[in-house]
Amino acid sequence: MSDNAIVAAVGSRTQSSADEFARVHGIAKAHGSYEALVADADVDAIYVSTPHPGHKDATLLALKNKKHVLCEKPMAMNLKEVKQMVELAQSSKLFLMEAMWTRFFPAYDHIRKVIKNGILGEVKALIANFGFKHTGKVERLYNPELGGGALLDIGIYPLALAFDVFGCKPSRIQATGLRMDTGVDETVSFILEDQPGQFASIFTTFSCDTPCDAVIVGTKGSVRVHKPMWHPQDITITIDGKEEHKSFPAPAPPSDFPSMYFDSTGMVYEAQAVSECILKGQTESDLMTLEHTLAMAETLDELRRQVGVVYKQDS
């Protein structure tokens, strides 16, 4: 749906799965290995959407083959891995970005303008949550070998919003949580202190359904980001007790569009932004910077340390 890029090819671990994906989505070429995909001369950029533990190796493979990379969140399993990816991209002068699609939605574009223009006054707090009841049917959510846990899967969205709102790495982090029998985090509640007097309070869980919304509070007013906060269409701005509701509908999909889930057409905002960056010769996004990705990885490492979640990649 981007007007300056096409999906030229797909790569998978097996030819049969690549062929099926290409058939369903109308993609011209299907490769039965990641090596074959990155060797394709018709491919300029790779979108890495493997399970979390595969992000680093797939990204490094693409970069070594001179491909730009959009890597699904989290960028990698820990800060150590993210640094390797960023260092190779920068030394190779190739584009690299963590695929935080949330940041590119028009609703958040509007919120950033509201904050910049001082409409909320001095921003003091972010209160955000993202949770749903885990049924045990999706293995990657609880298996440490697949990078399971609420923080990396869904907690990263409100965390990224905190970085978007406050624009810096937190000066203090306090977290508590509950681990599953497998050792990954089921629930994490944490507070980030950014500049003095600025706080983010975030709750993420696989134990229950939460409102999945966010509230940004300033000295003059507030903004509520309605569910789903990670790909919003509706916000409410409250100033002096007066509410103003704004809607930003997601693009309507074609009638034959094989959508993975509700509002997935919103990924077009991110795809458009990435392709524009690459066409301009940029090696990173001004909106989703590598500095933020590195700082988020460091923050996630500290949150996991406080909750006691360890992956084999940490050794």
Side-chain angles (χ1 to χ4, degrees), residues 124-289:
K124 290 292 187 179
L126 165 70
I127 305 99
N129 64 90
F130 191 168
F132 61 86
K133 192 169 184 179
H134 165 55
T135 63
K137 295 180 180 179
V138 182
E139 184 183 2
R140 70 172 181 81
L141 297 181
Y142 61 83
N143 187 339
E145 295 295 318
L146 298 176
L151 267 176
L152 295 191
D153 194 65
I154 56 176
I156 192 170
Y157 287 107
L159 175 63
L161 179 55
F163 274 84
D164 197 9
V165 170
F166 295 116
C168 61
K169 185 171 66 176
S171 60
R172 190 158 59 99
I173 302 169
Q174 291 183 302
T176 186
L178 178 67
R179 298 191 302 274
M180 297 181 183
D181 292 340
T182 60
V184 305
D185 52 293
E186 177 195 71
T187 299
V188 182
S189 179
F190 57 98
I191 295 175
L192 309 177
E193 183 176 3
D194 292 276
Q195 301 298 326
Q198 294 182 322
F199 298 90
S201 177
I202 295 171
F203 178 77
T204 186
T205 185
F206 286 154
S207 67
C208 59
D209 296 328
T210 73
C212 295
D213 61 0
V215 180
I216 302 164
V217 183
T219 53
K220 295 180 180 179
S222 64
V223 178
R224 178 177 294 279
V225 185
H226 297 278
K227 179 180 181 177
M229 58 75 57
W230 68 102
H231 55 107
Q233 296 190 37
D234 297 283
I235 65 173
T236 299
I237 303 170
T238 303
I239 306 294
D240 295 329
K242 296 179 181 179
E243 294 186 350
E244 179 187 11
H245 184 79
K246 287 187 172 291
S247 292
F248 304 85
S255 58
D256 59 347
F257 185 74
S259 177
M260 289 180 61
Y261 48 83
F262 179 66
D263 284 348
S264 62
T265 54
M267 288 185 173
V268 70
Y269 303 128
E270 175 183 68
Q272 186 83 10
V274 168
S275 56
E276 288 174 0
C277 286
I278 292 172
L279 289 170
K280 291 177 182 177
Q282 294 179 221
T283 55
E284 66 176 293
S285 165
D286 296 328
L287 194 54
M288 186 61 202
T289 65

Side-chain angles (χ1 to χ4, degrees), residues 283-304:
T283 55
E284 66 176 293
S285 165
D286 296 328
L287 194 54
M288 186 61 202
T289 65
L290 294 175
E291 180 183 8
H292 271 196
T293 288
L294 286 162
M296 286 201 303
E298 183 177 358
T299 302
L300 287 166
D301 281 2
E302 176 59 20
L303 290 168
R304 288 195 296 111

